[in-house]
C-alpha cells in the first residue's frame, strides 16, 4: 500500500463497534477541463446557440456528428442553468427508456441543487457510424449552496440523429468509471445549511440526515475551527454503492462507509462525500451508526481522503472523535486490541499502514490500537495538543519523528513505550 493513488477512508464493522479501513482504488483518469484545452470542444451555459452549419453533411461524417453532439450538450447545459425542464427533456430520444432516464436525471439535478452542468467533448471521443453514436464526455458539476468547488466526471453518452439534430438516448459511466449521484434513480434529498444527504429511500435519507447533523456537532467539539459542510450518499444496494465509487465486486465486503473525493481525484479542494454501504450500514444500531458517520465526517472535515499520512494517525484520530462522542467503556471499544495484549503482549511498534489492509486478520485490533494511541496523546497532553499533532502530521507526513519532538516534546520511540505500557495497563484492568 505504498502507492496512494486515489485513497479513500472507509468504515467497516466488527464484533464490537464498527471498524474502519482504508482501501485504495484505481480510477479512470478525468481530463482537467479548461476553456483553452487543446483538442476539446468546451461547452457551458452560453446565451447563444452554436452554429450548426458545418461544411459537411450526413451523420456518417465524424465532424458533423461531433457538431451535433456539441449542440445538444450545450442546450442541455442551458436548460439546467435556466431550470428549463421542457428544454432539457427536448434533448432526449422519444423511447420510453430514454424519456424515463431524462425525467429522473433532471429531477435529481434539481433536488441536489446542481445549477451548472458543463461539458467538454474531446475531438476524437465520438465513435460510431450512421445515425447512432457514442461520445466520452467530460462533465463538470457542483452543488449550489454547499461546496463551492466542482466535480469532474467522464461519462459515456449515447446519441441518435432525429430530424437533423442529435438526441440523447442514454448516459452511463464508462467501464471502471464512477457514476455521479445524479444518475441514480429516484433520489430523496435532505439538506440544511451545512449538510446534504442524497438517498434512494426516504427512510434512509431521514436516518442519515440525523446522523450527519449529529456528526457536525461532534466534529465541531474537537475541531472548533471547522465550519465546513458534510455530504453523504446513501445508495439503495451494493451495486449502486460500487458504482458510485467505482469499486470492484466484493472489494468493500464488510465496509459500512467510505469517505472519498467525489470525482476520484487527489485534489484536497475537490468535493468529498461519505458513501454508505447499505449491506453493512443498515443493520447497525444507533451507537454503531453514529460512530461510523462521525468517523467519516472527521475524515471529510480534515480532507483525509486526499492526504497521504500514517494511517494510525488518520484512522486513530477519526476514531477518537467518533468513539469519543458516545458513552462506551474502553474495555468494549478496545476489546479486540486488549485481547491481543492479554494473549501475546503489547505490539512492538505502532500500527503500520500495511496492518490496515481490508480483510486482515488483526484489522479490528489495529484500529483499536490506533485509537488508543491517539487517546493516549489527548490523555497525556490534552485534546488541543492532539489536534495540533494531527494537523502537523497532515501537513508534513514524512516528518513524523520531527512532529513528535516539536509538538509533544518526546520521541516516537519514547511515545511507543508509553503506549505499550498503556495497553498493558488497560488489559490488566480488563
Amino acid at each position: 500500500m505504498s502507492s496512494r493513488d486515489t485513497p479513500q477512508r472507509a468504515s467497516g464493522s466488527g464484533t464490537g463497534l464498527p471498524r474502519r479501513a482504508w482501501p485504495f482504488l484505481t480510477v479512470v483518469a478525468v481530463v482537467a477541463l479548461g476553456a483553452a484545452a487543446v483538442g476539446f470542444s468546451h461547452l457551458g451555459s452560453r446565451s447563444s446557440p452554436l452554429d450548426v452549419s458545418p461544411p459537411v453533411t450526413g451523420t456518417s461524417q465524424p465532424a458533423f456528428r461531433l457538431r451535433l453532439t456539441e449542440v445538444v450538450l450545450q442546450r442541455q447545459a442551458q436548460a439546467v442553468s435556466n431550470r428549463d425542464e421542457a428544454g432539457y427533456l427536448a434533448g432526449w430520444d422519444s423511447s420510453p427508456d430514454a424519456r424515463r432516464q431524462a425525467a429522473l436525471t433532471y429531477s435529481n439535478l434539481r433536488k441536489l441543487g446542481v445549477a451548472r452542468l458543463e461539458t467538454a467533448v474531446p475531438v476524437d471521443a465520438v465513435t460510431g457510424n450512421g445515425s447512432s453514436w457514442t461520445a466520452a464526455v467530460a462533465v463538470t458539476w457542483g452543488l449550489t449552496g454547499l461546496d463551492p468547488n466542482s466535480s469532474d466526471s467522464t461519462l459515456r453518452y449515447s446519441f441518435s440523429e432525429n430530424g437533423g439534430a442529435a438526441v440523447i438516448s442514454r448516459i452511463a459511466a464508462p467501464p471502471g468509471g464512477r457514476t455521479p449521484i445524479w444518475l441514480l434513480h429516484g433520489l430523496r434529498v435532505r439538506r440544511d445549511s451545512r449538510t446534504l444527504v442524497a438517498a434512494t429511500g426516504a427512510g434512509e435519507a431521514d436516518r442519515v440526515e440525523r446522523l450527519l447533523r449529529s456528526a457536525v456537532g461532534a466534529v465541531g467539539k474537537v475541531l472548533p475551527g471547522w465550519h465546513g459542510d458534510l455530504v453523504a450518499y446513501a445508495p439503495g444496494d451494493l451495486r449502486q454503492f460500487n458504482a458510485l465509487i467505482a469499486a470492484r465486486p466484493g472489494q468493500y465486503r464488510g465496509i459500512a462507509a467510505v469517505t472519498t473525493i467525489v470525482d476520484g481525484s487527489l485534489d484536497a479542494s475537490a468535493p468529498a462525500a461519505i458513501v454508505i454501504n447499505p449491506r453493512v450500514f443498515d443493520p447497525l444500531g444507533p451507537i454503531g451508526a453514529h460512530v461510523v458517520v462521525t468517523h467519516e465526517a472527521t475524515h471529510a472535515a480534515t480532507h483525509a481522503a486526499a492526504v497521504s499520512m500514517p494511517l494510525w494517525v488518520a484512522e486513530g484520530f477519526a476514531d477518537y472523535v467518533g468513539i469519543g462522542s458516545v458513552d462506551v467503556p474502553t474495555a468494549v471499544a478496545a476489546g479486540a486490541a486488549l485481547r491481543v495484549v492479554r494473549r501475546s503482549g503489547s505490539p512492538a511498534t505502532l500500527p503500520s499502514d500495511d496492518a490496515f489492509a481490508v480483510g486482515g486478520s488483526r484489522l479490528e485490533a489495529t484500529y483499536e490500537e490506533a485509537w488508543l494511541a491517539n487517546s493516549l496523546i489527548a490523555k497525556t497532553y490534552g485534546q488541543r495538543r492532539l489536534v495540533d499533532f494531527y494537523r502537523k502530521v497532515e501537513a508534513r507526513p514524512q516528518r513524523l519523528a520531527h512532529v513528535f519532538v516539536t509538538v509533544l516534546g518526546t520521541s516516537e520511540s519514547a511515545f511507543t513505550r508509553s503506549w505499550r505500557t498503556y495497553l498493558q495497563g488497560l488489559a490488566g484492568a480488563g
Side-chain angles (χ1 to χ4, degrees):
M1 290 230 183
S2 59
S3 172
R4 296 186 183 273
D5 297 334
T6 315
Q8 299 189 104
R9 306 293 183 179
S11 294
S13 62
T15 56
L17 291 175
R19 292 294 98 213
R20 271 69 49 189
W22 185 9
F24 299 80
L25 300 182
T26 301
V27 177
V28 174
V30 177
V31 181
L33 303 181
V38 176
F40 277 76
S41 294
H42 195 129
L43 310 175
S45 300
R46 304 180 212 169
S47 58
S48 58
L50 290 172
D51 177 9
V52 293
S53 303
V56 293
T57 60
T59 53
S60 63
Q61 297 289 342
F64 189 59
R65 288 200 305 270
L66 174 61
R67 202 64 169 164
L68 294 180
T69 300
E70 292 172 342
V71 172
V72 69
L73 290 177
Q74 179 195 316
R75 290 173 178 168
Q76 291 278 286
Q78 289 174 337
V80 171
S81 178
N82 296 334
R83 299 186 176 184
D84 176 10
E85 182 176 9
Y88 184 85
L89 298 179
W92 286 71
D93 186 73
S94 60
S95 69
D97 286 345
R99 303 302 289 181
R100 188 178 303 111
Q101 186 181 29
L104 287 169
T105 301
Y106 183 82
S107 175
N108 287 343
L109 292 169
R110 285 296 308 275
K111 291 174 184 176
L112 288 165
V114 176
R116 183 172 61 89
L117 194 69
E118 296 182 353
T119 54
V121 187
V123 295
D124 59 351
V126 178
T127 59
N129 296 308
S131 61
S132 298
W133 65 94
T134 63
V137 179
V139 181
T140 299
W141 56 282
L143 302 178
T144 303
L146 287 174
D147 197 316
N149 298 309
S150 298
S151 298
D152 298 331
S153 299
T154 297
L155 301 176
R156 177 175 291 177
Y157 280 64
S158 298
F159 300 91
S160 60
E161 187 271 336
N162 183 4
V167 289
I168 302 166
S169 56
R170 186 170 183 262
I171 305 175
R178 295 184 175 215
T179 298
I181 186 66
W182 41 270
L183 284 183
L184 296 192
H185 287 182
L187 289 183
R188 274 73 168 180
V189 176
R190 307 287 186 267
R191 65 188 303 160
D192 63 16
S193 61
R194 295 188 65 182
T195 66
L196 182 145
V197 176
T200 55
E204 193 67 356
D206 293 339
R207 181 192 186 199
V208 176
E209 179 191 33
R210 291 191 297 270
L211 292 167
L212 212 60
R213 287 181 175 180
S214 179
V216 169
V219 174
K221 288 181 180 179
V222 180
L223 300 171
W226 172 68
H227 302 290
D229 307 314
L230 295 176
V231 175
Y233 301 158
D237 55 37
L238 185 59
R239 181 188 60 81
Q240 291 180 341
F241 171 79
N242 288 336
L244 288 172
I245 58 176
R248 301 184 302 273
Q251 182 176 356
Y252 282 87
R253 185 180 295 111
I255 299 299
V258 301
T259 299
T260 183
I261 303 301
V262 172
D263 58 19
S265 70
L266 291 172
D267 184 357
S269 67
I274 300 166
V275 186
I276 302 295
N277 180 353
R279 180 171 294 183
V280 181
F281 186 83
D282 288 356
L284 294 177
I287 292 178
H290 171 82
V291 170
V292 165
V293 172
T294 303
H295 176 111
E296 298 304 325
T298 305
H299 285 327
T302 59
H303 308 288
V307 177
S308 172
M309 61 191 299
L311 295 184
W312 74 263
V313 179
E315 301 297 348
F317 181 76
D319 262 352
Y320 172 82
V321 180
I323 298 174
S325 64
V326 297
D327 185 16
V328 178
T330 300
V332 174
L338 300 184
R339 285 192 294 272
V340 170
V341 174
R342 296 185 190 109
R343 183 173 62 248
S344 308
S346 294
T349 64
L350 292 163
S352 67
D353 284 3
D354 289 344
F356 290 87
V358 176
S361 60
R362 291 187 72 258
L363 185 60
E364 187 171 4
T366 297
Y367 272 95
E368 293 172 1
E369 290 163 2
W371 168 57
L372 291 171
N374 280 260
S375 297
L376 178 60
I377 294 174
K379 182 181 179 69
T380 305
Y381 304 97
Q383 180 172 283
R384 183 175 298 179
R385 195 82 67 88
L386 169 64
V387 173
D388 191 25
F389 176 82
Y390 179 88
R391 291 299 196 188
K392 291 296 196 301
V393 174
E394 178 185 32
R396 310 185 77 175
Q398 305 306 319
R399 302 199 64 186
L400 178 62
H402 177 73
V403 176
F404 264 109
V405 173
T406 57
V407 176
L408 303 183
T410 188
S411 66
E412 183 175 356
S413 59
F415 174 78
T416 302
R417 288 193 297 270
S418 298
W419 170 71
R420 297 184 69 222
T421 300
Y422 182 51
L423 292 180
Q424 291 167 354
L426 292 174

